[in-house]
Each structure stands twice: as structure tokens, then as C-alpha cells.
Amino acid sequence: MIGWVFSGKSAAGNRILRAEVFQSGERTLKILKQSGEVEGREVIIMDTPGWFKFFPAGFNPPDLKSEILKAVSLCSYSPNVILLAVPLDTSFTDEQRRVTEDNMRFLGQRVWRHVIVLFTFGDALGNKTIEQHIESEGQPLRWLIEKCGRRYHVLDNWSNADNQVTELLEKMEEMVAGNSSFYLSETDDPQPEEDRSEETNQNKDEDTAKEITEQLMIEWDRRNWKEFKGSSSMITRVTFSKGEQRSEGSEGEEEEIKHQHEDNQFLELESEDDAGSDTLNKMRRLLEREWSRREAVMELFYKRVYGGE
Ligand SMILES: Nc1nc2c(ncn2[C@@H]2O[C@H](COP(=O)(O)OP(=O)(O)O)[C@@H](O)[C@H]2O)c(=O)[nH]1
Ligand SMILES: [Mg+2]
């Protein structure tokens, strides 16, 4: 089970195993293996920490990669499937396409043959079919679906309907039957990271990114941008490469447009004459978006629990 934070991985794990064994709604820090009998099969699920939805992979917590690799190696000797959680309550833009690809690069090119896109938040589909949704979402999501050999499944983690899990297991079995299991060997293509032309600067930036990441994780939990900004003079040294920036004008993205508008306001509010302020603004913008995604999900959750839906 992989995907960005708050994409419903832990909830999906619980849903599939029909037990509250993963901590949904909390940040998953370490992989967690749980198993159970589902529809007569022994199912083992590895829950993993998520990456950010908006930040480039370079800002991940330091042990995210090693945790995912651990999960892969623990599953290597049995038929396995990688479920990539993609929540349906939010858009999958070109930015998410890049972040997803970036975050999965270290698993090598072969990984995509073993992925099923697990659309979580199935309740957000409303009356639409998933095919209509994929059609209306535009190129980035279609790219993902094609990349995964058109394998996908919708899961509403709040619904008790049994057939959604049965169908998922059938799709997983079908995939495993026509495909070997996923494992990483030493002969695998070394995972080429992004272009490293400015090696020295890059190293310096990497150290800085590490410090920022640590801070970021604290702030993600605490939600206090002001302190983050005050304690982070180091941010001024970090530069975002072009490839890591948010795409401009991706097709049909209302969310994107809304955020661009908000971004402009931030820029106006904070027109400091400081060399780092541009980067600071970018950091702030990304963090704000991570938070607002989290809030939107919590709102859905409270509405469901207390709103009598
Ligand atoms: N509406 C809705 N909310 C969900 C669904 N799955 C998960 N959530 C909520 O999304 C939030 C994040 O879920 P979680 O399982 O922790 O995601 P993770 O970070 O990917 O493990 C939690 O508040 C869940 O209650 C779903 O299918 N529908
Ligand atoms: Mg989780």
C-alpha cells in the first residue's frame, strides 16, 4: 500500500481486512504488517508512510524510502501487488503526476507492471462512474491509468459493501497470475534521480532539504507556519529546480486555479526584499496546500460522523 499522506491507505487496509488494525487518520511513520483471512484467502497488508501530495520527493522524511523498501522486501517471496492509493475527493493534476512518478522512481521502471491504482474515497464519486471520472479528470490521471496497464479499483472505505473487496482481490489475483511478483534485485536499473549537474550545490541543498524536512514534519503535525518561518533561516539557501515547481495552467484544474489565486495573495502580502523570500513563499504555499487537503478530509469525516449524512 503506497501513496501520499491522507490518501486513505491505512483506512483501505482496515477495510480490506475488516478490522481496525491500522491507525487511520494518524500519520503512519513506520511500515506495519497486518494479516487476516479475507474471502478464504490469507491476505497480508503492508501499510507504509505516505509522501506529500504537493512537495517534491526531496522533502520526504528521511526514512520513507527505506521503510517502503523494507515493505517490498518483506513481500518479495509471496505473490504481491502494489496498491497505489489515489483519493477521489481531490484532483490528480500534472503536479501529482510528477510527485507520484518522482516518489516511485527509486522502485525502478518495472514497478509499474505491479501496480493497481486503488481509488479511495469512493463515496466522493457521487453518481459518476469511475470511467466518467477518469475521462473528466484529464491527461495526468489518464497517464497514471495507462502506466498501470489500466488496472484500477474503487474502494469506499466507509461502505460495508462486501463486493468491493471481493472484486479487488479478484483483480489482484488476475494481475499476479499474469505477472511475476515485484521484487528489487541488485541488477535493477540504478534508480536515476533527477539531473545532478550542479553536484556541489546539490549536496548542500540536500543537507538543507533534510533539515527542512524534519522541521516540516513537526509543522505538519503542529500547523504553525509562523514558527516554522521564524526558525528556518536555512530555507533561504534552498532552491527549487524548475522540474519541481508547480505546473502552470494544467488543463481543467479548478483547484489549481484557485490556489494560484491564493498564491498571488501570499506573494503580495510578503513582498520582502530578501533573497530567500521567494523560496519561503513557495514553501509556505506548499505547506498551506498540504494542510488544506488535510482539513478538507477532516471536514468530510466530521460531516459524516456528526452531520447525520
Ligand atoms: N470520506 C472518506 N474518507 C476516508 C476514506 N478513506 C479514508 N478516509 C479518511 O481520510 C483520512 C486519512 O485516512 P488514512 O487512512 O489515515 O490515510 P493514509 O494517510 O493514507 O493512511 C482519515 O481521516 C480517514 O477517515 C474514504 O473512503 N472516504
Ligand atoms: Mg496511514
Side-chain angles (χ1 to χ4, degrees), residues 37-272:
E37 200 187 295
V38 187
E39 313 279 341
R41 304 136 165 118
E42 198 210 348
V43 176
I44 299 172
I45 296 182
M46 289 280 179
D47 196 13
T48 65
W51 53 75
F52 282 115
K53 183 184 173 193
F54 302 106
F55 281 92
F59 290 94
N60 282 331
D63 47 1
L64 187 127
K65 261 192 203 174
S66 59
E67 285 298 303
I68 294 179
L69 287 174
K70 229 187 276 171
V72 167
S73 74
L74 284 167
C75 289
S76 285
Y77 297 100
S78 41
N80 62 43
V81 172
I82 293 178
L83 295 178
L84 172 64
V86 175
L88 285 168
D89 69 318
T90 172
S91 279
F92 189 91
T93 67
D94 193 52
E95 178 184 41
Q96 277 68 58
R97 182 192 64 76
R98 268 187 286 108
V99 169
T100 303
E101 201 176 12
D102 201 15
N103 272 293
M104 290 186 55
R105 193 167 281 122
F106 76 100
L107 295 171
Q109 269 307 311
R110 281 186 312 116
V111 71
W112 295 101
R113 290 185 231 162
H114 303 270
V115 177
I116 294 180
V117 178
L118 184 64
F119 287 113
T120 52
F121 289 64
D123 44 315
L125 257 188
N127 294 328
K128 263 203 234 166
T129 65
I130 186 63
E131 286 72 26
Q132 285 168 334
H133 174 78
I134 293 169
E135 202 47 47
S136 66
E137 269 283 280
Q139 187 51 33
L141 188 62
R142 285 202 293 275
W143 171 90
L144 181 71
I145 297 291
E146 292 300 329
K147 190 95 178 152
C148 301
R150 305 199 63 76
R151 292 178 297 269
Y152 56 85
H153 186 73
V154 180
L155 205 61
D156 173 358
N157 291 322
W158 301 135
S159 152
N160 286 323
D162 280 334
N163 60 344
Q164 50 169 0
V165 172
T166 315
E167 279 169 26
L168 171 63
L169 292 178
E170 283 165 4
K171 285 178 191 172
M172 289 163 77
E173 279 172 341
E174 195 183 317
M175 200 198 91
V176 168
N179 216 338
S180 58
S181 288
F182 181 63
Y183 61 94
L184 277 172
S185 75
E186 280 165 23
T187 56
D188 264 325
D189 39 343
Q191 308 94 41
E193 302 279 334
E194 302 280 77
D195 183 20
R196 305 250 145 175
S197 39
E198 292 170 61
E199 198 64 54
T200 359
N201 269 341
Q202 188 85 29
N203 284 345
K204 226 197 274 163
D205 283 353
E206 262 171 27
D207 288 345
T208 316
K210 225 182 261 170
E211 289 174 58
I212 292 174
T213 302
E214 280 165 23
Q215 197 64 30
L216 201 55
M217 297 320 284
I218 297 170
E219 300 314 323
W220 163 259
D221 290 335
R222 187 169 55 185
R223 212 205 147 161
N224 192 339
W225 167 258
K226 272 209 180 99
E227 282 182 37
F228 177 51
K229 188 183 165 189
S231 66
S232 303
S233 54
M234 61 205 177
I235 292 174
T236 54
R237 296 211 325 261
V238 170
T239 51
F240 280 68
S241 77
K242 262 221 162 68
E244 288 169 339
Q245 279 176 26
R246 213 159 32 80
S247 64
E248 303 296 332
S250 38
E251 322 154 17
E253 299 303 349
E254 278 173 36
E255 189 192 42
E256 199 76 13
I257 290 161
K258 197 176 114 220
H259 279 298
Q260 273 175 14
H261 180 67
E262 286 167 6
D263 294 346
N264 291 340
Q265 288 179 338
F266 283 139
L267 290 170
E268 275 164 30
L269 283 172
E270 298 211 7
S271 51
E272 299 160 49

Side-chain angles (χ1 to χ4, degrees), residues 10 23 26 28 47:
S10 302
Q23 282 208 310
E26 311 255 315
T28 306
D47 196 13

